[in-house]
Amino acid sequence: MYRYFIQPELNKMTQSLIGYELLIKIHTDQGWRPPECFAKVPVREIADRLVETTAKLVLKVGSVSVNLNRVQMVNPLICEALIKSQHQLRPLKLNVELTEQPTHIKISDEQLLPVIKKFTDRGMEVCIDDVGTGENSMTAIQPLLPYASEIKFALQNFDADFQDPEIQALVVKWRDFAAERHLRFILEGIENEADDQLADALDIGVRQGYYYGKPHLVKLNKDDPE
């Protein structure tokens, strides 16, 4: 059984909730867990759960974000579900987050860009997630930037924590990269008060992490396990 959990994204400077990120999990004997391999989640499960979940969230949030790798993003069934979900959420925006995850099939920019344009033409936004790691290096994302609204830096993708000066330097580099291109910058992985205060010091407004709220289940049926 797959279900989406939601985690808040907030603007610390304005003390406002800006939206939720959808995070898919599978129910196991040990409870709800992230899939061992996101790329192996059945396409039909992603598509159906996405449509059902966004129907529950209409008018409750500012925006809704969903993670997809390159193969999933160009899949026709998922594309159809995304478009349907955006219709359900309107006037709210669906934000499609392109993850850094390498895929078994190579998807070229020529394959990806028409799909991204189809999304933006229908009022969706595109986020480049996990910048600086995997498939989303600074060089690789250049062709995608004209269609992007935001980039997201995930602290949890690195072995060192946010207190490490080298990680701070990376965050500042990507913060400035986003500002120069008039993109929103989201810092993900804020886990404690020290991280929160450091983000204040680095003038980073939009944030996400366990410090602000852990993901919680969007129930589709009354008998869904907690």
Side-chain angles (χ1 to χ4, degrees):
M1 177 190 294
Y2 289 91
R3 290 290 184 270
Y4 274 108
F5 283 59
I6 56 175
Q7 185 177 28
E9 298 175 332
L10 75 154
N11 188 322
K12 176 69 182 300
M13 302 309 179
T14 61
Q15 295 295 316
S16 60
L17 176 70
I18 66 168
Y20 285 103
E21 180 178 1
L22 295 177
L23 303 165
I24 200 163
K25 294 190 179 185
I26 184 171
H27 194 260
T28 70
D29 292 340
Q30 292 75 45
W32 292 104
R33 297 289 185 273
E36 289 187 7
C37 179
F38 180 54
K40 292 183 179 179
V41 178
V43 167
R44 173 60 70 178
E45 288 286 343
I46 294 174
D48 289 351
R49 300 297 83 75
L50 178 62
V51 171
E52 292 169 342
T53 304
T54 52
K56 296 277 188 180
L57 296 176
V58 173
L59 300 180
K60 293 184 179 180
V61 293
S63 66
V64 175
S65 300
V66 60
N67 291 289
L68 297 170
N69 62 33
R70 282 163 168 74
V71 170
Q72 292 164 340
M73 191 172 283
V74 301
N75 182 279
L77 188 62
I78 293 179
C79 288
E80 181 182 343
L82 288 166
I83 292 169
K84 185 173 182 179
S85 294
Q86 176 60 84
H87 285 318
Q88 290 180 157
L89 289 167
R90 201 174 305 278
L92 308 181
K93 287 185 179 292
L94 182 64
N95 191 348
V96 184
E97 297 191 5
L98 179 63
T99 70
E100 55 76 31
Q101 184 184 52
T103 56
H104 64 290
I105 300 172
K106 183 67 176 176
I107 302 298
S108 68
D109 291 339
E110 288 72 22
Q111 293 171 282
L112 187 61
L113 288 173
V115 177
I116 289 178
K117 189 174 187 302
K118 182 187 295 185
F119 295 158
T120 57
D121 285 347
R122 285 164 173 78
M124 302 182 209
E125 293 190 339
V126 173
C127 170
I128 304 174
D129 198 2
D130 306 312
V131 290
T133 56
E135 295 285 309
N136 288 346
S137 68
M138 194 170 283
T139 300
I141 68 172
Q142 293 294 331
L144 310 179
L145 293 176
Y147 302 95
S149 298
E150 67 183 34
I151 62 174
K152 181 181 285 189
F153 186 97
L155 292 167
Q156 64 269 24
N157 288 349
F158 297 86
D159 292 332
D161 64 26
F162 194 20
Q163 304 305 311
D164 187 311
E166 292 187 7
I167 298 299
Q168 294 172 35
L170 277 176
V171 170
V172 169
K173 180 178 78 171
W174 282 104
R175 178 204 67 189
D176 293 347
F177 178 89
E180 290 165 5
R181 290 157 181 80
H182 307 289
L183 301 172
R184 285 192 304 273
F185 178 71
I186 299 181
L187 183 61
E188 181 182 9
I190 302 293
E191 305 296 292
N192 52 52
E193 185 176 359
D195 288 349
D196 179 65
Q197 291 177 351
L198 183 51
D200 285 345
L202 296 179
D203 195 28
I204 295 167
V206 185
R207 310 174 197 176
Q208 183 180 345
Y210 277 19
Y211 182 70
Y212 311 113
K214 294 183 178 181
H216 64 273
L217 173 67
V218 179
K219 282 196 170 190
L220 301 180
N221 304 298
K222 63 181 181 180
D223 55 349
D224 280 350
E226 294 290 349

